[in-house]
Amino acid sequence: MKKTLQLATILSAGLMMQQPLYAAESSERFVFVGYGDVKYESADVAGTDAFSARFVPIFLFSLNDKMHVEAELEVGLNADGETVTELEYADIHYFLNDNTTITAGKFLLPFGQFSANWHPSWINRSIWTPGIYGAHGSSQAMDPILPILSDVGVAAQQVYQVGSAKVFLDVFMTNGPRSEAEYDEEGVVDDHDIALARLISPTASIDPDADEHGEAFPEVEFEATNSDNNSNKAFGGRIAVALLPSIEIGTSYYQGAYDENGQLDIKANGVDINLISTHAILRGEYIRTETDAFVEKDYEDVIDSFSRNGWFLQGTFFIGHLFDGLGSTEIVIEHAQTKKVEEAERWMVGVNYWLDPRSVIKVGYEDTDVVDGPDDKRFAVQFSYGF
C-alpha cells in the first residue's frame, strides 16, 4: 500500500461500490494510469453549444521502496483548436515509515476532499465542479470561493490508528498566493482561464449593501509558480477522522500573504464530510475565507478583512440497487451556495450509467441563480473513463 499512496486514495474514493482498477497493485517500477472525458454542453450565459475532449495521463514511477514519483498532465483543446497542456502536479513521495509520508514538488493541497481526491471526472459524480471551486475544465456561472488548490512546496502526512478509527493529519508549506497581475484578455484561451480570471477578480466593486465594507474586493491569484512575490510562505493542513469505508469528516486551514510586502493575508477554513452507505453517497464541503486589504479610514490606509463563504452538498443514490432493470444507474443531486460578493445558488440533477467499473455516461442539468448577475441554465452529456 505504500506505492502511489495518493493514487490509491483517489481510486478507492472514486468508485466506492464499483470494483476499481488498482495501479498500486502493479509490481512494475513504472505505471501509466489516468482518465479522460468527452462532453457535449449547452450553456445559456456563455452562449456555448459544443463538444469538448481532454486526456489526463498520470505517470507513476518507483525509484525504490522508499521513494515514488508521480505527475499528472491535462491535455485538451482551446477554442482555436490548439493543444493546451497543463501540469496538474509533479512531486516525489518519501515514505519515512508505514504511517508517515513526506512530499515535495508541485502537489494538490490537502484542503478539503474535492481538490485532492474527487476532482477527476470519472470520480466526481457530477459533470460539473462544485460551485465553491474553480471550473477545472468547464466555465461556470458561480464565482467560486477558491480554485482547486495546487502549489509548489513540501508537505507531510501522518496516519494514526485510534481504536477502530483512522486519523489523517496533513500539513504543507508552499510558495503561496500573490496579488493579481494585469490580466490580458487576449491571453484567455479557454474556459479554465476564463473561470480563473473571474475567480481572482470576482467584481470590480462591491455594493455597500452587499458587503459591510463597501470597498473593492481584493484580487488574489492562486496559480502555482516556481517563484514567490514575497518572503512569506503559505501554510496549512487538514485533519480528518475516518471509520473506513463508511464515514470521513475533516477540517482544513490555509493562510498565505499575497502582496509584495507580505502584509496582506488570505485565510481559509473548511469542513468536509464523506458518508458512504450501501445505496447512497453523501459528500459536502463548507469554505470560509478572510482576505486582507488596505482600506481608507480617517484619511489613512489601514488593513481590513473581507469575508466570503460557500458550501455544496452532493447526494448520489444507487437506484440500480433497488430496481434490477436499471443496472448500474445512479441519480445525483447537488446544491451549492456562495455568500457575500456575487452571491449565487445552484441546483444540479444528473443521471449516471456505469458501463463498467471505470467508465460512465453522465447526463446533467444545472440551474444557477446569481443575485447581481445573469442567471444560467446548462445541459450536458459526458462520457468519462479511468484507466
Side-chain angles (χ1 to χ4, degrees):
M1 289 301 293
K2 286 184 178 180
K3 290 189 177 182
T4 62
L5 181 60
Q6 285 188 339
L7 177 68
T9 302
I10 291 175
L11 291 174
S12 60
L15 293 183
M16 302 300 179
M17 302 305 168
Q18 313 292 330
Q19 294 296 321
L21 176 66
Y22 272 82
E25 293 177 355
S26 172
S27 60
E28 302 294 330
R29 294 184 64 194
F30 176 77
V31 180
F32 177 67
V33 295
Y35 66 96
D37 54 67
V38 180
K39 180 175 66 173
Y40 166 78
E41 181 177 34
S42 174
D44 287 353
V45 172
T48 58
D49 186 353
F51 292 95
S52 61
R54 60 177 175 163
F55 179 66
V56 187
I58 301 173
F59 306 92
L60 305 163
F61 186 76
S62 173
L63 298 177
N64 54 52
D65 288 341
K66 286 287 189 180
M67 290 186 292
H68 298 158
V69 176
E70 64 174 1
E72 177 184 313
L73 297 175
E74 180 173 328
V75 183
L77 297 173
N78 63 17
D80 298 322
E82 300 171 333
T83 299
V84 179
T85 302
E86 182 176 353
L87 181 65
E88 293 287 331
Y89 56 79
D91 54 56
I92 183 169
H93 300 296
Y94 180 77
F95 300 101
L96 192 62
N97 53 51
D98 289 342
N99 298 316
T100 307
T101 305
I102 309 297
T103 301
K106 180 183 180 183
F107 52 89
L108 297 171
L109 301 192
F111 186 96
Q113 285 225 51
F114 183 82
S115 293
N117 297 334
W118 302 339
H119 78 272
S121 58
W122 71 303
I123 295 176
N124 180 15
R125 254 47 190 201
S126 170
I127 295 176
W128 297 280
T129 301
I132 62 175
Y133 284 105
H136 194 70
S138 174
S139 62
Q140 62 178 21
M142 297 183 76
D143 280 311
I145 304 297
L146 287 175
I148 294 177
L149 292 171
S150 67
D151 208 346
V152 181
V154 294
Q157 182 188 64
Q158 179 72 34
V159 181
Y160 300 95
Q161 186 74 44
V162 181
S164 59
K166 286 186 179 293
V167 177
F168 300 98
L169 175 62
D170 290 90
V171 293
F172 61 83
M173 182 172 64
T174 64
N175 286 333
R178 64 196 56 82
S179 299
E180 179 200 2
E182 291 296 326
Y183 209 83
D184 180 7
E185 293 185 359
E186 295 181 356
V188 178
V189 296
D190 60 16
D191 288 339
H192 185 274
D193 291 334
I194 293 172
L196 177 62
R198 297 179 73 242
L199 170 67
I200 60 182
S201 182
T203 183
S205 62
I206 295 177
D207 190 315
D209 294 333
D211 188 273
E212 62 269 24
H213 302 281
E215 302 284 346
F217 195 85
E219 299 168 349
V220 183
E221 184 176 319
F222 292 91
E223 187 173 359
T225 69
N226 286 335
S227 63
D228 194 350
N229 67 334
N230 55 51
S231 59
N232 295 331
K233 295 290 177 284
F235 64 91
R238 176 177 178 267
I239 185 170
V241 179
L243 293 171
L244 299 176
S246 300
I247 182 171
E248 181 174 349
I249 300 175
T251 181
S252 306
Y253 181 77
Y254 176 91
Q255 180 175 349
Y258 68 89
D259 66 315
E260 292 185 355
N261 296 321
Q263 295 177 281
L264 305 177
D265 282 357
I266 179 168
K267 304 180 185 70
N269 298 89
V271 177
D272 59 83
I273 186 170
N274 187 25
L275 301 175
I276 306 167
S277 71
T278 304
H279 304 299
I281 301 173
L282 183 65
R283 295 169 170 172
E285 295 191 25
Y286 169 85
I287 297 175
R288 184 177 186 272
T289 63
E290 291 282 346
T291 307
D292 293 342
F294 286 109
V295 298
E296 184 177 333
K297 290 185 178 180
D298 299 327
Y299 305 101
E300 293 184 1
D301 285 338
V302 298
I303 296 176
D304 205 348
S305 294
F306 294 78
S307 175
R308 291 193 73 197
N309 66 81
W311 59 272
F312 82 91
L313 193 64
Q314 181 189 98
T316 302
F317 307 94
F318 308 125
I319 59 174
H321 291 187
L322 304 177
F323 305 97
D324 293 338
L326 295 177
S328 300
T329 303
E330 57 191 28
I331 293 178
V332 183
I333 300 174
E334 182 178 292
H335 184 52
Q337 287 188 9
T338 55
K339 300 290 187 180
K340 298 186 179 180
V341 187
E342 300 295 339
E343 293 188 17
E345 181 178 16
R346 184 175 80 175
W347 282 96
M348 187 283 300
V349 61
V351 178
N352 301 340
Y353 182 79
W354 290 87
L355 301 174
D356 64 31
R358 300 177 301 278
S359 58
V360 57
I361 295 176
K362 307 177 189 177
V363 180
Y365 175 81
E366 64 112 329
D367 189 343
T368 303
D369 181 14
V370 181
V371 173
D372 295 318
D375 298 340
D376 192 28
K377 294 179 175 61
R378 297 183 181 224
F379 172 79
V381 180
Q382 182 187 70
F383 172 65
S384 182
Y385 56 90
F387 58 91

